[in-house]
Amino acid sequence: MSDVITQYGFLLLILACVFGFFMAWGVGANDVANAMGTSVGAKAITIKQAIIIAMIFEFTGAWLAGGEVTSTIRSGIIDAEAAGFDEQPELLVFGMLSSLLAAGIWLLVASKFGWPVSTTHSIIGAIVGFAVVGISVDAVMWGQVGSIVASWVISPVFSGTIAFVLFMTVQKLVLSTDDPFANAKKYVPYYIFLVGFIIGMVTLVKGLSHVGLEITFMQSLLVSLLIGAVAMAVGIAMLKRIHNVPEDNLDERFKSVERVFGVLMIFTACSMAFAHGSNDVANAIGPLAAVNSVIASGGVFDTQSALPMWILLLGGGGIVAGLAMWGHRVIATIGRNITELTPSRGFAAELAAATTVVIASGTGIPVSTTHTLVGAVLGVGLARGI
């Protein structure tokens, strides 16, 4: 057992909590905006509403489905045996502290100038940097890093494909028909059902084990169908308040249709926030979880220790704080810059991106929400012929 950890363990844990909260704050200030920017850009919700939705759903996503990716970031990037953490556990503690601080500072700078950057890339780069400089090049599990880097290419392509298909169905069923408004009211509830069902399914099948819930595949299926049905019922109630404005002008007619899709966009915004919380909270709390497990066990590095609930809550809280204080800066960048988004296009992009990210969270792969969303927006662009 190392002397450093016996003497200063508590102090090091406090530092890790502060740096972890700072990193989570950066994720909230920068990355959540990528998740919510499309909804704001498509004028489906205001910035204030976006922040409230994000607070609730980011937190839930982090808490319910954030465990898988956390274990990858905590112990899947550095080879613990080659790095010699058993002999020198304080090396891991110092390395993870420096990774958190480095990534946190970079996010602070990026958010200050309103640049949308990927928090996932930031923390993985920081951990790889610490391993190469502090231990050796061989201590990095390059195979695992390779698969994470590959996912940065695959995830935008995957989400782009889903968005392409979704938007083609919207064009066929709604926009290119004789009565787009009636068809929008007819089909939008089914899309809302899809949002609830997909998010429920992926979370239940993959994410709930660390909260202590073990459920079978059939149970997940039934619960997800129920979640979808509830979402659909809420959606139908909201759609009742939207009435068609009889206009000879084609543009005006489509405005009513887009208002129907605006309701759908509120649901996809919730799902995007949930997906984002489930994947990106790990960027902040993965290193903190590693430090905590070393200090709690008195210097033994265990790659598979339970993730304490308070760490997930700290991460969720940090994200909410960052979002409330600085989130509006990056939301404005994305909301204004991706201008040609209307709700019917924006929903396809958001649902595709959320699906991709939640699937990745379930398999424990850290993907970049930013890239995935950009891929999805491009998919929609291709579907309508850019």
Side-chain angles (χ1 to χ4, degrees):
M1 157 123 187
S2 107
D3 297 341
V4 178
I5 288 184
T6 11
Q7 285 180 319
Y8 303 110
F10 186 62
L11 182 68
L12 289 170
L13 185 60
I14 300 252
L15 271 180
C17 289
V18 172
F19 292 173
F21 189 82
F22 176 49
M23 174 75 190
W25 184 91
V27 172
N30 195 299
D31 231 24
V32 177
N34 301 333
M36 305 306 283
T38 34
S39 295
V40 177
K43 297 192 171 50
I45 50 177
T46 62
I47 287 193
K48 200 179 228 173
Q49 288 167 327
I51 288 176
I52 293 168
I53 287 178
M55 281 179 178
I56 299 167
F57 286 92
E58 289 276 337
F59 194 78
T60 335
W63 178 53
L64 291 179
E68 293 281 339
V69 188
T70 304
S71 62
T72 304
I73 291 207
R74 182 175 79 184
S75 51
I77 297 171
I78 302 175
D79 184 345
E81 282 170 14
F85 288 149
D86 300 337
E87 288 84 53
Q88 294 175 293
E90 68 273 14
L91 245 185
L92 172 82
V93 175
F94 295 148
M96 287 298 184
L97 284 174
S98 49
S99 302
L100 276 175
L101 191 57
I105 290 171
W106 161 237
L107 285 178
L108 180 70
V109 172
S111 305
K112 169 100 177 68
F113 292 106
W115 304 330
V117 295
S118 166
T119 53
T120 312
H121 295 189
S122 311
I123 192 70
I124 289 174
I127 294 175
V128 169
F130 133 65
V132 170
V133 177
I135 309 158
S136 74
V137 179
D138 304 331
V140 180
M141 291 158 106
W142 291 110
Q144 178 71 24
V145 173
S147 71
I148 292 172
V149 172
S151 78
W152 297 340
V153 180
I154 295 162
S155 62
V157 173
F158 188 69
S159 66
T161 312
I162 298 178
F164 181 87
V165 172
L166 271 172
F167 190 66
M168 291 304 276
T169 62
V170 173
Q171 276 193 315
K172 193 142 186 65
L173 295 172
V174 179
L175 300 179
S176 310
T177 55
D178 297 334
D179 189 352
F181 182 79
N183 283 328
K185 285 195 103 161
K186 183 167 141 195
Y187 290 113
V188 162
Y190 294 106
Y191 287 119
I192 294 177
F193 174 79
L194 195 67
V195 175
F197 176 72
I198 289 175
I199 302 296
M201 196 62 200
V202 183
T203 308
L204 293 169
V205 170
K206 281 294 187 186
L208 292 183
S209 50
H210 69 275
V211 189
L213 287 173
E214 293 292 342
I215 41 183
T216 61
F217 185 79
M218 278 315 292
Q219 284 171 316
S220 319
L221 192 66
L222 289 169
V223 174
S224 303
L225 286 169
L226 190 68
I227 294 173
V230 170
M232 191 172 172
V234 174
I236 290 172
M238 288 164 78
L239 287 174
K240 288 223 169 87
R241 292 167 31 202
I242 296 176
H243 302 293
N244 196 5
V245 186
E247 284 285 344
D248 307 331
N249 184 334
L250 201 64
D251 285 347
E252 290 297 322
R253 263 178 62 190
F254 275 109
K255 271 186 190 156
S256 304
V257 176
E258 292 298 352
R259 289 215 309 280
V260 176
F261 278 101
V263 171
L264 175 55
M265 196 92 187
I266 296 171
F267 286 90
T268 53
C270 297
S271 71
M272 195 67 211
F274 183 89
H276 181 267
S278 71
N279 201 288
D280 286 37
V281 70
N283 300 335
I285 64 174
L288 169 59
V291 172
N292 177 61
S293 75
V294 170
I295 291 172
S297 61
V300 183
F301 178 65
D302 179 12
T303 48
Q304 289 303 322
S305 56
L307 181 67
M309 188 55 75
W310 66 266
I311 290 189
L312 279 169
L313 296 176
L314 181 100
I319 286 184
V320 166
L323 181 75
M325 287 160 71
W326 266 23
H328 58 89
R329 292 181 181 228
V330 186
I331 287 186
T333 305
I334 290 208
R336 291 206 192 102
N337 291 2
I338 309 182
T339 42
E340 68 289 341
L341 277 182
T342 58
S344 59
R345 295 167 201 161
F347 111 84
E350 275 194 352
L351 181 54
T355 309
T356 310
V357 172
V358 178
I359 290 173
S361 299
T363 43
I365 300 173
V367 293
S368 159
T369 321
T370 320
H371 281 187
T372 312
L373 196 59
V374 169
V377 172
L378 283 175
V380 173
L382 288 172
R384 50 177 276 264
I386 304 268

